[in-house]
Amino acid sequence: MLTNDSHRPVPEGVVLQEEQQVHEPSSGRGRRHGTSRSEPFDRWFRYPAGFASDYASLLLGELQLPTAGLVVDPFTGSGVTGTAARRAGHSFFGVEAHPLIAELAALKLRRSPRDPSELLVTARELAQQATTKMRVDISGEADLTLRSFDPETLALLVSLRDLIRAKQDQEWYLYLKWALLATLRDVASVRVGWPYQRPGTQRQPTFADPVSRFLQRVAWMADDIRDLEKYKSASLTCRVKQGDSAESENWSDIGNGSAHGCVTSPPYLNNFDYADATRLELYFWGDVTSWSQMCAEVRSDMLTATTQQSSVGAARDARISLQEYGAVGAQISELADQLQKERGNRARGKEYDRVLPDYFVAIARILGNLASVLVPGAPAVLLVGDSAPYGVYVDTPGLMAKLGAQLGFTLEKDVILRHRGKRWAGNATRHNVQLAERFVLLRRE
Ligand SMILES: C[S@@+](CC[C@H](N)C(=O)[O-])C[C@H]1O[C@@H](n2cnc3c(N)ncnc32)[C@H](O)[C@@H]1O
């Protein structure tokens, strides 16, 4: 059996690439936790994407899809697969659970309303008004917002926000909103990088002037929109549906057997909370005003991938549903048993045992929906990492492939792209394994 430099054997069927046995995708140019800072459209807002558009383009090129095909993504996020598909001349349909992020993806994939020079003119007018306006009252802002910026910066951000909100019925409204939302982390005076916002830890803002940074962001948007002319095709349609991709009705906008390929990056089983990760933007814009509202409204359509989302009832139901999936269902249940035992050994153990069944049942439903919309022979690429909560190794990509095999897919490739989580390797209290991000290629039968 092949081995890599980790403490565990390579899971059955996994191919190790090249001499150093790991292939670092040429994506994101230095990206660590999200979309590229420089690629067109990616740069509109940094989101933990799994891959950047240059890598998604590379993949789409290698999948040999038919000309002007339909590409789908059940975990659309900020729309990286969508923008890459459009650039390659394909239509796109994606489902994204996070309402704010679904709005961003849909915006990036919109046909441009008009000449973006108008966007620039409007932005400059708003910037002028924000800087000359009487200083606004910031005392009613959310605690996280107040703690994240120095008062002068926050006053300018709030001025801009209020001016933009007043333009809600105008066609450039969402572009202005997102240029401002993306400016927040650039000008914050506390740690606000991914994955978590740390309002207790001060830092030097990356950019001092929020207004000029906002205008810079608007200018990038205008450049990217203008560039769309190059690959505009009247017959292409790109759509994003906000909702849960495990629900078949969220796929009803496209017919069964209508899609030619899928490139996606599902949430990893690593306790990363996509709602919490965007707390700063949600609070600043006023979409949510409390943690409970965020859980109810932002997280509600997401699959369970964190212990915070888990519940006894959902886990019990999922255990029953797992029985539909034969040997792989039993394997997932066994892992959940091991995790339950590990939790019992700890004073305040986390409920990974409740996350696991719920997560994989949702993945199975999503793979089932994908199988319905893909044409026979279509490829589906999943980029996903494995995990090892409490040292119990969960071969997430391998288990997904096994579930796929029950739902009309054949596993064609399973390749390690890069090692990750190195800092935990060898740490007995965390993961005593070398984790990896993998590329899984399934083929619709
Ligand atoms: C790794 S990210 C994918 C990011 C994406 N590649 C991009 O371009 O930004 C996973 C995404 O899946 C979304 N998600 C989680 N559960 C979902 C579900 N049941 N249906 C649809 N989207 C879901 C999360 O909100 C998150 O945005």
Side-chain angles (χ1 to χ4, degrees):
M1 180 183 271
L2 289 167
T3 56
N4 58 7
D5 59 355
S6 73
H7 304 268
R8 67 180 167 81
V10 174
E12 203 184 325
V14 175
V15 179
L16 295 174
Q17 286 205 336
E18 299 163 2
E19 264 184 278
Q20 79 276 29
Q21 301 176 326
V22 177
H23 173 63
E24 187 79 39
S26 61
S27 61
R29 304 209 177 115
R31 170 189 65 91
R32 283 219 180 124
H33 294 294
T35 31
S36 151
R37 289 181 199 277
S38 55
E39 290 291 316
F41 295 97
D42 276 19
R43 60 184 173 175
W44 287 23
F45 182 77
R46 210 157 145 70
Y47 190 61
F51 44 79
S53 56
D54 50 350
Y55 188 60
S57 296
L58 192 112
L59 284 176
L60 288 170
E62 285 183 2
L63 292 178
Q64 298 183 328
L65 305 176
T67 311
L70 171 62
V71 174
V72 293
D73 183 351
F75 301 103
T76 299
S78 60
V80 166
T81 297
T83 53
R86 176 177 58 186
R87 193 167 39 240
H90 300 299
S91 291
F92 175 79
F93 179 77
V95 186
E96 169 54 46
H98 192 312
L100 191 66
I101 299 301
E103 177 183 278
L104 169 68
L107 184 69
K108 284 158 80 173
L109 290 165
R110 239 195 216 178
R111 275 170 202 273
S112 137
R114 273 206 295 263
D115 178 359
S117 322
E118 279 183 23
L119 169 62
L120 287 168
V121 171
T122 314
R124 281 190 207 113
E125 280 167 13
L126 297 184
Q128 171 77 17
Q129 288 170 36
T131 40
T132 50
K133 204 169 141 181
M134 292 259 293
R135 200 165 154 167
V136 294
D137 178 16
I138 55 170
S139 60
E141 297 300 313
D143 182 55
L144 176 66
T145 314
L146 287 168
R147 293 171 69 199
S148 297
F149 307 95
D150 71 59
E152 209 170 307
T153 300
L154 182 55
L156 283 167
L157 292 168
V158 168
S159 281
L160 274 171
R161 181 194 65 196
D162 295 348
L163 289 161
I164 293 170
R165 273 191 185 148
K167 298 220 169 280
Q168 236 172 73
D169 51 352
Q170 297 192 9
E171 85 194 321
W172 296 109
Y173 162 69
L174 283 178
Y175 297 88
L176 296 164
K177 170 181 174 179
W178 275 97
L180 184 62
L181 287 183
T183 300
L184 298 183
R185 292 177 196 240
D186 296 337
V187 299
S189 52
V190 298
R191 293 276 297 274
V192 285
W194 301 108
Y196 302 112
Q197 295 111 127
R198 296 202 183 91
T201 314
Q202 296 292 312
R203 68 149 210 206
Q204 196 62 17
T206 321
F207 295 87
D209 176 7
V211 176
S212 59
R213 186 62 179 161
F214 163 73
L215 289 175
Q216 167 68 73
R217 288 198 163 277
V218 172
W220 284 341
M221 283 178 159
D223 286 349
D224 295 349
I225 293 167
R226 266 194 210 101
D227 256 21
L228 273 176
E229 291 296 325
K230 281 191 210 149
Y231 37 87
K232 198 149 78 180
S233 154
S235 59
L236 292 188
T237 51
C238 295
R239 279 167 297 170
V240 177
K241 172 98 183 167
Q242 191 279 318
D244 177 0
S245 53
E247 299 292 340
S248 54
E249 64 262 32
N250 285 327
W251 293 90
S252 62
D253 287 0
I254 56 169
N256 278 352
S258 64
H260 303 96
C262 163
V263 171
T264 194
S265 177
Y268 297 9
L269 264 173
N270 61 356
N271 239 4
F272 184 91
D273 183 337
Y274 287 92
D276 187 29
T278 51
R279 209 154 38 103
L280 183 64
E281 291 77 16
L282 289 165
Y283 277 96
F284 174 76
W285 202 258
D287 289 337
V288 303
T289 52
S290 68
W291 179 264
S292 59
Q293 192 190 2
M294 189 184 77
C295 297
E297 293 175 16
V298 182
R299 266 199 199 144
S300 55
D301 285 328
M302 288 180 196
L303 53 64
T304 301
T306 69
T307 47
Q308 301 233 31
Q309 293 165 280
S310 69
S311 76
V312 179
R316 191 184 45 229
D317 294 348
R319 286 270 197 155
I320 296 166
S321 300
L322 278 176
Q323 292 166 9
E324 293 166 31
Y325 302 102
V328 59
Q331 195 183 342
I332 295 163
S333 266
E334 258 170 51
L335 286 167
D337 289 341
Q338 284 179 44
L339 288 167
Q340 191 173 1
K341 204 168 134 218
E342 290 295 335
R343 174 159 63 90
N345 292 339
R346 289 162 172 84
R348 283 170 47 217
K350 291 196 176 188
E351 299 84 358
Y352 297 116
D353 52 302
R354 293 183 192 145
V355 174
L356 211 70
D358 213 4
Y359 174 86
F360 280 109
V361 166
I363 291 289
R365 293 199 173 124
I366 292 165
L367 287 173
N369 290 337
L370 254 191
S372 302
V373 299
L374 289 173
V375 291
V381 170
L382 315 176
L383 268 94
V384 65
D386 49 16
S387 65
Y390 291 146
V392 175
Y393 180 63
V394 182
D395 178 15
T396 314
L399 292 166
M400 283 185 184
K402 285 185 184 171
L403 285 169
Q406 306 230 351
L407 293 157
F409 290 96
T410 306
L411 173 62
E412 213 166 276
K413 256 190 197 172
D414 184 343
V415 176
I416 293 179
L417 289 177
R418 66 178 182 101
H419 291 307
R420 61 189 193 92
K422 282 196 175 113
R423 63 197 159 131
W424 305 130
N427 178 340
T429 61
R430 301 296 299 239
H431 316 302
N432 193 21
V433 289
Q434 173 71 80
L435 300 177
E437 190 171 71
R438 302 227 297 273
F439 165 103
V440 174
L441 172 60
L442 304 177
R443 180 82 52 187
R444 178 75 178 97
E445 284 155 8

